[in-house]
Amino acid sequence: MTVVDEKGSGEYRSRVREWLGAHVPPPTAGLPPAEVLRIAKEYQAALFEAGFAGITWPKEVGGQGLGPAEQQVFSEEAADYDLPTYPLTIGMGMCGPTLVDLGTPEQKQRYLPKLLRGDEVWCQLFSEPGAGSDVASLQSRAERTDDGWVLNGQKVWTTNAQWADFGAVLARTDPDQVKHAGITMFIVDMHAPGVTVRPLRDMSGKSPFNEVYFDDVHLPADGAISPVIGEVGRGWQAAVTMLGHERVSIGASRPSRSNSLGFDAVLALARREGATADPANRERLAELYAHERALQLLNARMRQETQAGRPPGARGSVAKLAGALQLRRAIAVVGELAGADVVAWDPDDALSADVAQGINSAPASSIAGGTNEVQHNIIGERILGLPKEPQVDRDIPFRQLKVGTQGGAR
Amino acid sequence: MTVVDEKGSGEYRSRVREWLGAHVPPPTAGLPPAEVLRIAKEYQAALFEAGFAGITWPKEVGGQGLGPAEQQVFSEEAADYDLPTYPLTIGMGMCGPTLVDLGTPEQKQRYLPKLLRGDEVWCQLFSEPGAGSDVASLQSRAERTDDGWVLNGQKVWTTNAQWADFGAVLARTDPDQVKHAGITMFIVDMHAPGVTVRPLRDMSGKSPFNEVYFDDVHLPADGAISPVIGEVGRGWQAAVTMLGHERVSIGASRPSRSNSLGFDAVLALARREGATADPANRERLAELYAHERALQLLNARMRQETQAGRPPGARGSVAKLAGALQLRRAIAVVGELAGADVVAWDPDDALSADVAQGINSAPASSIAGGTNEVQHNIIGERILGLPKEPQVDRDIPFRQLKVGTQGGAR
Amino acid sequence: MKLVLDAEQEDLRSAVRRLLADRSSPATVREVMASERGDDPGLWKSLADLGLLGLVVPEDFGGAGAGHVERAVVLEELGRAVTPTPFFASAVLATDALLALDDDAARAELLPALAGGEKVATVAVAEGGGPWDRTGGATTATERDGGWRLDGTKTPVLAGMVADVVLVLAGTPDGPGWFAVDAAADGLTRTALTGLDPTRRFARLAFAATPARRLVSADPGAALDLVADLAAVALAAEQVGVMQRALELTVDYAKVRVQFGRPIGSYQAVKHGLADVYSAWEHSLSVLRHAAWTADHDRAGLPLAAALARTYIGPACFEAGNAMVQYHGGIGYTWEHDAHLYYKRAKSAQLLFGPPSAHRARLADRLGI
Amino acid sequence: MKLVLDAEQEDLRSAVRRLLADRSSPATVREVMASERGDDPGLWKSLADLGLLGLVVPEDFGGAGAGHVERAVVLEELGRAVTPTPFFASAVLATDALLALDDDAARAELLPALAGGEKVATVAVAEGGGPWDRTGGATTATERDGGWRLDGTKTPVLAGMVADVVLVLAGTPDGPGWFAVDAAADGLTRTALTGLDPTRRFARLAFAATPARRLVSADPGAALDLVADLAAVALAAEQVGVMQRALELTVDYAKVRVQFGRPIGSYQAVKHGLADVYSAWEHSLSVLRHAAWTADHDRAGLPLAAALARTYIGPACFEAGNAMVQYHGGIGYTWEHDAHLYYKRAKSAQLLFGPPSAHRARLADRLGI
């Protein structure tokens, strides 16, 4: 049961549809990393040549200068495909738009066209071991030198760092300020000496993330192009801008066709297990569908409202949270349908393997990009206007704060 | 499916069983209030004469001076009956034990024997419109006079005030202290001039509670018997003592036989509706049973641990919370079983009426005696030892605090 | 697919909200729900005057010729105000039934009176608390002396005590049939039922050789399905209104009620609970808009969209009512506070057309599972 | 009914906890679960030396002659430490099966070897992910040349790759029968399965005219039911241990992990979530103690108590594992942190003997619904 929004027609849509039909390569999942990267770059270059890269980005940086309507058409048409652009998503969805908002003319000129063409890959370096939900408690530091800055620290959960050419990194530049001040966002050359990227193995056994270590990494500030995004000491504001792009990016993404906990996949599992005749299972499947479909309709309504001039804003958190909770619901349902078939399975049983992989990676959705708890806070405070909790770390210089598990009793 | 713990035998148990069999009157539900009160007092007097009143209370105040084992036997045997003692429960379960703990010899002598015999009825006056979960924010005040105190203020949710002879009331005696200090617990004569008791209608349409208004009520302190329970300014400590007795009182109570949302009643409803053949309903009933039975077993285990010298302490909150959540679960199940039969029913359909009454009074369990939210805090802080939230009202004189909805924007 | 309202539809909402602020204030609701009749004839006339009773009735029959999206807007507002009114019985169930059947004479006779508010009608299909029975249940219609007579019992019947006309589904020798019965007909006994929700009245209707007029219908079962699906959309709208108001009032209270020195809305237990209610409301609103749109523009998609609305919104709405009582604490548990009206309306709406399991089962059927 | 442990039982717990602290530390668990064999023969010997493998085996057969309450204590500790071990297959399933059957010769031959740790045994009943089939499923046994031969496939079989002896339920011309198969027998093909939980190994066992020894049993189906009920109690014990440790570790972390200037355990979202896990653990422990007591003292009450344990504890345990990952945040999602071992053990335990719905259905049956 695949449900997609109605699609209109129109000249732009026809062009998009035709181009995608002719150019999207077969899925790259399972190929060696180097191949995945090569195919992504080739596809993006072709997209750029065809005039479909950066649809809403300004023309002067290589974008198309079009509006959300065209972006929407492209997204709708692209939803039928498994695009190969995974290595480029952070750059396209977060770093690029932030540079469009905050970059100097020189920065835009230097970085954005190559980003758009897929020549250069970007990553985003915010999270640290001691700074998860509380990003602003980060401890990486950048200190001024004669000819720029020197960067030290550790980042985690860095998607795409393994093939990135550049990164947008947050570092503390003044620990005597309170925690949200004294942070600056920099552009770091990921090939510079002192940058170490290590894959981070997640609980499902895969390594989609990295740890990144900076040891005396030099950020040159003596040329025409500053390494600072926005202003020195206003890195938090730059981060908020970037996280806004992240939320939109997550909110707009549709459930993947290959989501092994999506309704289509769960129904296929139910059929294989011969479990669809039991009235209780039928109720469970209906309930699962209802929540998935309600979320699709909410996303569709928010897109329509955006087109009508009312962007979703913090309501992106509603969709993000609902998506995470839906995976928990699905885990319960697949257990009912398959029982021990998702506990242990024949090596060639791809369906059970997919579902088990879904069970073991589902927690990421409730943690990454802001935990469910943080999303609840955002909804309560920024949408409903409920009062914040007492803030205990607002007025204290960062140097004096305890962060992460520093000083913990164990 | 009624499940009771095994009952041993023994001489004490035989005596209890025999006495109860001969003396418990028919259920008083539905009788006029005056009748209910008369029957309660008669029963209690007979209980007292038979030597079963105040089993664990000291002999010098009229109790039996026995241990928890005898109390346990009595409770087990009494569980088969619908005892008529409802009007006396607050006195027996809370005020009396608190006077045993904190009363002066004169207070004990004056009040406890009559309480135990059922001659005098007690109520407890803590909650106020602005002080619910946060009892210590109470605003009723008692001011010293030449010959005692004068009491003013409003109390709510006062069970049994309509037939009470005395009340244990918390009032603020020093608003310049921080909120938990400056409170004193008093004995108030509920027949004194200036005491007004008004029934409070709850959402189910019944009036089991009262509002109580005190207008210049004189609390005489010129005789031998002080109106103060514990010490002046230490009313909060006295309240904690009394609330401890309350929790034990709630925790020890078994689900009433007549609970229309209990498993037995829900199964009877399912049978009437012909709903037990549907596999999904069978699962729902099993799930409902499982949670009810697990709670019974938890209570049984805590009783055994108490006998072995490890009292439940704050774990009473676990049982209290679970009982409230079980009612919510039951509401969902009865809806599945009965559909519109619990939306509207023939006037003579007592089963539907009972279930609907259960639906409409269930929220009380999640609010009264400490909301679910408060129980969660107690479990998290007092059992798991998790840190408290920042306290914003600890060090400020009560006079300067905002409480309830005072000064709210609307 | 259009999931947002246009300016005209927003104007309609404002007009209805103004009317209800005036004629269905909390104080009025209290008065009306305590009255013997259980609804307010003055409000009924106002609803008729504004054209709201005949919103989906074609102009030829005295209606406004508008659509289900518009009717949903009205129902959201009626839900917001927990207004006691036979609107759902008359302007939804009975009106939809007359439109779904094929009886031009009955339409011409009844629809103008319903749209104009001169008559109140209802539909009698249920025979107990379960889902609607397509066969007419145990109620039978027999032809005698050139006319039809009904025997059987229908319960619960929405607005059954105040309805002037009752549209009944009954079994005939040639399958289920629809019948119109005059409330004053011989052999019709109406008994007021006791109800969980004081803002909604029901009756049991017993028919004993009650004279009835058979209504022309090419496919009475299909007509029933359509009526049920449109009722699902309408009820969803009411529930979305109930949720929204319950949420608003509770958020307002959580901002001003102080315990332990802070507004209770600053505590995560309350904040996150209300965030969940908000999330469920946003989802429900989307599901509703989609269902109402399909009712107007995609009848083939309606059965699925309607079953989705019943499945998703029923429990979501009750959670909102439950949260309203819970986060108001003691005051929310009193009769004087309005929280219980939302709690009870939410629960009665959830179960009105049978148990939630029946809705999930129907959704599964319609998904082809 | 006794729901608290006595001093001797607490001593047993301490001894096992000491052993596992020494021989099944987190680092050792990592090593063992990555090994080809998937369990630690050294630990196995220690368990045997302490008499833990034969806890419920009568002394006549080389066991300790203790009861299910004691075995539950051991399993709680094995669960706490998420120890990879064939204990459940050999000291629970196979041991219970031999005791439930009526084959004195097999008992005399096998039980001392199992209790002494010289052999590992398992039981092969499941043929797919659903609940156990009392008939033996599609696996058949035929008598040929004076002996029995098995044909069919059993999967998943706990510890199926390392077991020396497999007790198989198969259909015979005269109903279901139990058979003992040597792991080295001709015509037995064992395939290692891929698993969700790295601390628990399974195999698929294919029988093709595999020689087997028929075990004497007056009522093979009743024996299976008893084995299943005792397995439910044993698994509940493991799950209670998993929950308890998951809770402890998470509470400890919540006290020291600071975000936004406060330990995360001071936030109600985390505090209340952990309170719910604690509550579920307290309930689960009570249910377990009761079930273990009935296994020893009230066999008539065992079927109900066992079904209750499966129904209540399965989801409660998974919630504890899920909360452990969630409240550890990013670090809890890494392979290096132990949270995922508890999450996966909890999920695999929940589904090991078929879907939760099957357990609820069995509970309903046993309640006479």
Side-chain angles (χ1 to χ4, degrees):
Chain A
M1 169 64 35
T2 295
V3 187
V4 291
D5 298 331
E6 49 159 4
K7 291 179 184 169
S9 54
E11 190 267 333
Y12 190 76
R13 188 180 296 274
S14 309
R15 280 211 293 130
V16 170
R17 190 175 296 175
E18 198 181 313
W19 188 87
L20 288 168
H23 291 85
V24 177
T28 58
L31 295 180
E35 266 305 88
V36 172
L37 183 62
R38 188 189 60 75
I39 294 170
K41 289 183 163 194
E42 268 181 26
Y43 168 85
Q44 186 70 22
L47 192 77
F48 184 84
E49 293 310 320
F52 292 124
I55 291 172
T56 60
W57 294 23
K59 285 196 173 178
E60 55 272 30
V61 300
Q64 307 303 326
L66 299 172
E70 284 80 7
Q71 181 62 58
Q72 171 76 10
V73 167
F74 188 91
S75 301
E76 285 173 14
E77 293 297 323
D80 288 338
Y81 296 94
D82 194 357
L83 297 186
T85 44
Y86 177 71
L88 309 174
T89 43
I90 302 295
M92 289 298 303
M94 299 177 62
C95 303
T98 303
L99 280 175
V100 168
D101 293 343
L102 302 177
T104 64
E106 293 77 16
Q107 285 172 334
K108 290 182 185 176
Q109 206 50 46
R110 161 65 188 86
Y111 296 113
L112 289 175
K114 291 196 172 174
L115 192 162
L116 264 189
R117 262 202 313 269
D119 292 348
E120 291 173 349
V121 178
W122 283 67
C123 64
Q124 176 243 47
L125 302 133
F126 285 10
S127 296
E128 299 183 4
S133 295
D134 182 11
V135 175
S137 66
L138 58 92
Q139 295 169 279
S140 291
R141 64 192 187 282
E143 284 154 359
R144 277 198 196 266
T145 60
D146 291 346
D147 56 351
W149 304 76
V150 59
L151 175 65
N152 279 284
Q154 181 191 352
K155 297 289 177 177
V156 285
W157 306 115
T158 315
T159 308
N160 292 347
Q162 71 273 33
W163 34 42
D165 300 295
F166 294 97
V169 61
L170 286 181
R172 189 162 302 279
T173 43
D174 186 353
D176 293 316
Q177 301 278 339
V178 300
K179 66 190 266 197
H180 286 82
I183 296 174
T184 303
M185 186 184 287
F186 295 96
I187 298 168
V188 59
D189 177 350
M190 294 294 285
H191 304 297
V195 177
T196 309
V197 176
R198 284 197 201 147
L200 187 58
R201 195 171 176 203
D202 73 21
M203 66 179 265
S204 79
K206 299 197 169 176
S207 297
F209 309 105
N210 302 277
E211 296 177 293
V212 179
Y213 296 84
F214 298 111
D215 294 302
D216 290 335
V217 176
H218 178 55
L219 307 173
D222 52 349
I225 305 168
S226 163
V228 174
I229 301 180
E231 294 172 35
V232 172
R234 292 186 59 80
W236 182 248
Q237 289 75 7
V240 168
T241 300
M242 194 177 286
L243 291 172
H245 290 297
E246 178 179 31
R247 230 187 322 269
V248 169
S249 185
I250 293 178
S253 66
R254 289 145 176 281
S256 158
R257 292 298 148 93
S258 56
N259 173 8
S260 64
L261 296 179
F263 178 74
D264 288 355
V266 174
L267 180 56
L269 180 72
R271 293 217 156 102
R272 182 187 82 169
E273 300 284 332
T276 55
D278 176 20
N281 283 338
R282 297 171 62 77
E283 284 193 36
R284 284 187 267 268
L285 286 164
E287 183 81 4
L288 189 70
Y289 166 82
H291 282 82
E292 181 175 299
R293 179 67 175 140
L295 177 54
Q296 287 172 352
L297 290 168
L298 170 58
N299 279 322
R301 183 165 66 84
M302 290 199 295
R303 283 194 300 272
Q304 291 187 14
E305 290 185 2
T306 304
Q307 286 169 11
R310 190 194 161 207
R315 290 187 300 161
S317 289
V318 174
K320 202 259 180 202
L321 175 61
L325 297 179
Q326 175 72 358
L327 292 184
R328 294 191 182 174
R329 205 173 279 119
I331 286 175
V333 175
V334 297
E336 297 289 3
L337 300 171
D341 285 342
V342 292
V343 173
W345 55 91
D346 279 336
D348 61 354
D349 178 356
L351 185 51
S352 288
D354 281 352
V355 171
Q357 174 68 24
I359 293 172
N360 283 345
S361 50
S365 296
S366 289
I367 297 170
T371 63
N372 291 358
E373 290 73 24
V374 166
Q375 305 305 329
H376 271 113
N377 273 352
I378 292 172
I379 297 168
E381 293 169 11
R382 293 180 45 194
I383 302 180
L384 300 180
L386 292 168
K388 290 187 174 239
E389 299 195 65
Q391 304 266 320
V392 296
D393 61 351
R394 278 268 163 194
D395 306 322
I396 301 172
F398 182 78
R399 205 183 278 285
Q400 296 168 28
L401 285 180
K402 200 162 84 175
V403 299
T405 50
Q406 277 180 358
R410 311 155 177 260
Chain B
M1 170 62 35
T2 294
V3 187
V4 291
D5 298 331
E6 49 159 5
K7 289 179 186 169
S9 54
E11 191 269 333
Y12 190 75
R13 188 180 295 275
S14 310
R15 281 210 294 131
V16 170
R17 190 175 295 176
E18 195 181 320
W19 188 87
L20 288 169
H23 290 86
V24 176
T28 59
L31 295 180
E35 264 306 88
V36 172
L37 183 61
R38 187 187 60 75
I39 294 169
K41 288 183 163 194
E42 269 181 26
Y43 168 85
Q44 185 70 23
L47 192 76
F48 184 85
E49 294 309 321
F52 293 124
I55 292 171
T56 60
W57 294 24
K59 285 195 171 177
E60 54 272 27
V61 301
Q64 308 303 325
L66 299 172
E70 284 81 5
Q71 181 62 58
Q72 171 76 10
V73 168
F74 188 92
S75 301
E76 284 173 13
E77 293 297 322
D80 288 338
Y81 296 94
D82 194 358
L83 297 186
T85 44
Y86 177 70
L88 309 175
T89 43
I90 302 294
M92 289 298 303
M94 299 177 64
C95 302
T98 304
L99 279 175
V100 169
D101 292 343
L102 301 177
T104 64
E106 294 77 14
Q107 285 172 336
K108 291 182 183 176
Q109 206 51 46
R110 161 63 189 86
Y111 296 114
L112 289 176
K114 290 196 172 174
L115 192 162
L116 264 190
R117 264 202 314 270
D119 292 348
E120 291 173 348
V121 179
W122 282 68
C123 64
Q124 175 244 50
L125 301 133
F126 285 10
S127 296
E128 299 184 4
S133 296
D134 182 12
V135 175
S137 67
L138 59 91
Q139 293 169 283
S140 290
R141 63 192 187 283
E143 283 153 359
R144 277 197 195 270
T145 61
D146 290 347
D147 56 351
W149 303 76
V150 57
L151 175 66
N152 280 284
Q154 182 191 351
K155 297 288 176 177
V156 287
W157 306 116
T158 316
T159 307
N160 292 346
Q162 72 273 30
W163 34 42
D165 300 295
F166 294 97
V169 61
L170 286 181
R172 190 164 299 282
T173 44
D174 187 351
D176 293 316
Q177 301 278 342
V178 299
K179 67 192 270 198
H180 286 82
I183 296 175
T184 302
M185 186 185 287
F186 294 97
I187 298 168
V188 59
D189 178 350
M190 295 294 286
H191 305 298
V195 177
T196 310
V197 176
R198 285 197 201 144
L200 185 58
R201 196 171 174 203
D202 73 20
M203 65 178 267
S204 79
K206 299 197 167 175
S207 297
F209 308 107
N210 302 275
E211 297 176 293
V212 179
Y213 296 84
F214 298 111
D215 294 303
D216 289 334
V217 176
H218 177 55
L219 306 175
D222 49 352
I225 304 169
S226 164
V228 175
I229 302 180
E231 293 173 36
V232 173
R234 293 186 58 81
W236 181 249
Q237 289 74 6
V240 169
T241 300
M242 195 177 285
L243 291 172
H245 289 297
E246 179 179 30
R247 229 186 325 268
V248 169
S249 188
I250 293 178
S253 67
R254 288 147 176 281
S256 159
R257 294 297 148 97
S258 56
N259 174 6
S260 65
L261 296 179
F263 178 74
D264 288 354
V266 174
L267 180 57
L269 179 73
R271 294 217 154 103
R272 184 188 77 169
E273 301 284 333
T276 54
D278 176 21
N281 283 339
R282 296 170 63 78
E283 284 193 35
R284 282 186 268 269
L285 286 163
E287 183 80 5
L288 189 70
Y289 166 82
H291 281 81
E292 182 175 300
R293 180 65 175 141
L295 178 53
Q296 287 171 353
L297 291 169
L298 171 59
N299 278 322
R301 185 166 64 85
M302 289 198 297
R303 284 195 298 273
Q304 291 186 12
E305 290 184 2
T306 305
Q307 287 170 10
R310 188 192 163 209
R315 289 188 299 161
S317 289
V318 174
K320 202 260 179 201
L321 175 61
L325 296 179
Q326 175 72 356
L327 292 184
R328 293 190 180 172
R329 204 172 280 121
I331 286 175
V333 175
V334 297
E336 296 289 2
L337 300 171
D341 285 342
V342 291
V343 173
W345 55 90
D346 279 337
D348 61 355
D349 177 356
L351 185 51
S352 288
D354 280 352
V355 172
Q357 173 69 24
I359 293 172
N360 283 345
S361 49
S365 296
S366 290
I367 297 170
T371 62
N372 291 358
E373 289 74 24
V374 167
Q375 305 305 329
H376 271 114
N377 273 352
I378 292 173
I379 297 168
E381 292 168 11
R382 292 181 44 195
I383 300 179
L384 300 180
L386 292 169
K388 289 188 176 240
E389 300 195 67
Q391 303 267 322
V392 297
D393 62 350
R394 278 268 161 191
D395 306 322
I396 301 171
F398 182 78
R399 207 182 276 287
Q400 295 167 28
L401 286 180
K402 200 162 86 175
V403 298
T405 52
Q406 276 181 359
R410 307 151 180 266
Chain C
M1 181 168 72
K2 197 162 144 289
L3 303 176
V4 291
L5 300 181
D6 60 29
E8 208 172 329
Q9 289 158 343
E10 290 290 358
D11 288 348
L12 172 64
R13 173 193 303 289
S14 304
V16 179
R17 191 170 294 186
R18 272 195 307 275
L19 171 70
L20 295 178
D22 189 32
R23 304 296 303 252
S24 182
S25 67
T28 307
V29 168
R30 296 288 172 153
E31 221 171 275
V32 172
M33 79 185 202
S35 70
E36 200 196 325
R37 184 181 166 86
D39 69 79
D40 175 6
L43 173 64
W44 194 247
K45 186 163 182 329
S46 302
L47 292 170
D49 291 348
L50 276 176
L52 303 178
L53 297 182
L55 216 45
V56 300
V57 173
E59 293 177 13
D60 292 352
F61 295 117
H68 290 273
V69 174
E70 286 77 14
R71 191 171 71 183
V73 167
V74 176
L75 282 153
E76 278 180 68
E77 296 302 312
L78 289 168
R80 263 183 76 87
V82 287
T83 304
T85 169
F87 187 97
F88 203 94
S90 195
V92 176
L93 295 176
T95 297
D96 291 350
L98 287 167
L99 290 169
L101 299 173
D102 309 288
D103 196 319
D104 286 332
R107 277 203 269 258
E109 188 188 317
L110 286 171
L111 284 175
L114 300 189
E118 293 95 38
K119 283 193 174 174
V120 171
T122 190
V123 156
V125 176
E127 298 187 0
W132 283 0
D133 181 346
R134 239 169 163 267
T135 68
T139 302
T140 55
T142 38
E143 211 166 0
R144 228 180 295 167
D145 311 328
W148 288 87
R149 302 275 179 159
L150 298 186
D151 289 279
T153 301
K154 293 290 184 182
T155 188
V157 178
L158 256 173
M161 298 304 286
V162 300
D164 304 298
V165 182
V166 184
L167 307 180
V168 184
L169 188 72
T172 79
D174 55 340
W178 285 89
F179 297 85
V181 176
D182 193 282
D186 291 341
L188 170 57
T189 312
R190 307 199 282 185
T191 310
L193 300 182
T194 316
L196 179 131
D197 171 1
T199 65
R200 188 96 93 176
R201 297 287 178 95
F202 296 86
R204 173 163 50 87
L205 269 51
F207 304 95
T210 311
R213 166 179 171 182
R214 181 158 189 174
L215 300 172
V216 180
S217 173
D219 187 340
L224 177 68
D225 288 344
L226 178 56
V227 170
D229 286 340
L230 294 173
V233 178
L235 190 60
E238 208 190 275
Q239 290 169 305
V240 164
V242 167
M243 290 177 80
Q244 189 184 21
R245 189 68 181 142
L247 178 65
E248 280 175 15
L249 290 169
T250 311
V251 166
D252 286 350
Y253 184 72
K255 288 178 184 172
V256 299
R257 168 76 175 180
V258 171
Q259 292 281 275
F260 305 104
R262 289 159 51 186
I264 60 169
S266 71
Y267 292 101
Q268 287 187 334
V270 175
K271 184 180 290 175
H272 292 191
L274 289 172
D276 284 335
V277 173
Y278 173 78
S279 171
W281 172 76
E282 281 279 9
H283 283 78
S284 296
L285 182 63
S286 310
V287 167
L288 165 64
R289 290 274 183 275
H290 175 250
W293 185 87
T294 61
D296 284 335
H297 300 286
D298 176 20
R299 281 285 160 95
L302 177 61
L304 183 59
L308 172 67
R310 296 296 311 122
T311 298
Y312 189 89
I313 299 179
C317 181
F318 180 64
E319 281 309 312
N322 193 54
M324 185 176 184
V325 175
Q326 181 67 22
Y327 297 137
H328 278 82
I331 189 74
Y333 187 66
T334 60
W335 186 267
E336 284 70 28
H337 195 277
D338 287 342
H340 74 101
L341 301 182
Y342 289 85
Y343 177 95
K344 293 169 183 173
R345 177 65 79 94
K347 181 46 80 179
S348 74
Q350 186 187 11
L351 304 178
L352 198 50
F353 295 120
S357 56
H359 305 308
R360 288 192 291 269
R362 191 173 303 128
L363 179 56
D365 289 345
R366 288 169 180 185
L367 285 167
I369 297 172
Chain D
M1 182 169 68
K2 193 161 147 289
L3 303 176
V4 291
L5 299 182
D6 59 28
E8 206 173 331
Q9 290 158 343
E10 291 290 358
D11 287 347
L12 173 64
R13 174 194 302 291
S14 305
V16 179
R17 191 171 294 187
R18 270 194 309 272
L19 171 69
L20 296 178
D22 188 31
R23 305 296 304 250
S24 182
S25 67
T28 306
V29 168
R30 296 287 172 153
E31 220 171 277
V32 172
M33 80 189 200
S35 69
E36 201 196 321
R37 182 179 168 88
D39 68 80
D40 175 5
L43 174 63
W44 193 247
K45 182 158 186 331
S46 301
L47 292 169
D49 290 347
L50 277 176
L52 303 178
L53 297 181
L55 217 43
V56 300
V57 173
E59 292 176 15
D60 290 352
F61 295 117
H68 292 273
V69 173
E70 286 77 15
R71 191 171 70 183
V73 167
V74 176
L75 281 153
E76 278 181 69
E77 295 303 312
L78 289 169
R80 264 182 76 88
V82 287
T83 304
T85 169
F87 187 97
F88 202 94
S90 195
V92 177
L93 294 177
T95 298
D96 291 349
L98 286 167
L99 290 171
L101 299 172
D102 309 289
D103 196 319
D104 285 332
R107 275 203 270 258
E109 185 187 319
L110 286 171
L111 283 175
L114 299 190
E118 292 94 39
K119 282 193 176 177
V120 171
T122 190
V123 156
V125 177
E127 298 187 1
W132 282 0
D133 181 346
R134 238 169 163 267
T135 69
T139 301
T140 55
T142 38
E143 212 166 356
R144 228 182 293 168
D145 309 328
W148 290 86
R149 302 274 178 158
L150 299 186
D151 289 278
T153 302
K154 294 290 182 182
T155 187
V157 178
L158 256 172
M161 297 304 286
V162 299
D164 304 298
V165 181
V166 184
L167 307 179
V168 184
L169 189 73
T172 78
D174 54 341
W178 285 90
F179 297 85
V181 176
D182 192 283
D186 290 340
L188 169 56
T189 311
R190 308 199 282 186
T191 311
L193 300 182
T194 317
L196 179 132
D197 171 1
T199 64
R200 188 98 93 177
R201 298 287 179 95
F202 297 87
R204 175 163 50 85
L205 268 50
F207 303 94
T210 310
R213 163 178 173 184
R214 182 160 190 173
L215 300 173
V216 180
S217 173
D219 187 341
L224 178 68
D225 288 345
L226 178 57
V227 171
D229 287 340
L230 293 174
V233 178
L235 190 59
E238 209 190 274
Q239 289 169 306
V240 164
V242 167
M243 291 178 80
Q244 189 185 24
R245 188 70 181 142
L247 178 64
E248 280 174 14
L249 290 170
T250 312
V251 166
D252 286 349
Y253 184 72
K255 288 177 183 173
V256 298
R257 168 76 174 178
V258 170
Q259 292 281 273
F260 306 105
R262 289 160 49 188
I264 60 170
S266 70
Y267 293 101
Q268 287 187 335
V270 175
K271 184 181 290 176
H272 293 192
L274 288 172
D276 284 335
V277 173
Y278 173 78
S279 170
W281 172 77
E282 280 279 10
H283 283 78
S284 296
L285 181 64
S286 310
V287 167
L288 165 64
R289 290 274 183 274
H290 175 249
W293 184 87
T294 59
D296 283 336
H297 299 286
D298 177 21
R299 280 284 160 97
L302 176 61
L304 184 59
L308 171 67
R310 295 297 310 123
T311 298
Y312 188 90
I313 299 179
C317 181
F318 180 63
E319 282 309 312
N322 193 54
M324 184 175 185
V325 175
Q326 181 67 24
Y327 297 137
H328 278 82
I331 189 75
Y333 186 67
T334 59
W335 185 268
E336 283 72 29
H337 195 277
D338 286 343
H340 74 102
L341 301 182
Y342 290 85
Y343 177 96
K344 293 168 183 174
R345 177 65 80 95
K347 180 48 80 178
S348 74
Q350 186 187 12
L351 304 179
L352 198 50
F353 295 120
S357 56
H359 306 308
R360 288 191 293 269
R362 190 173 304 129
L363 178 55
D365 290 345
R366 289 169 179 184
L367 285 166
I369 297 173

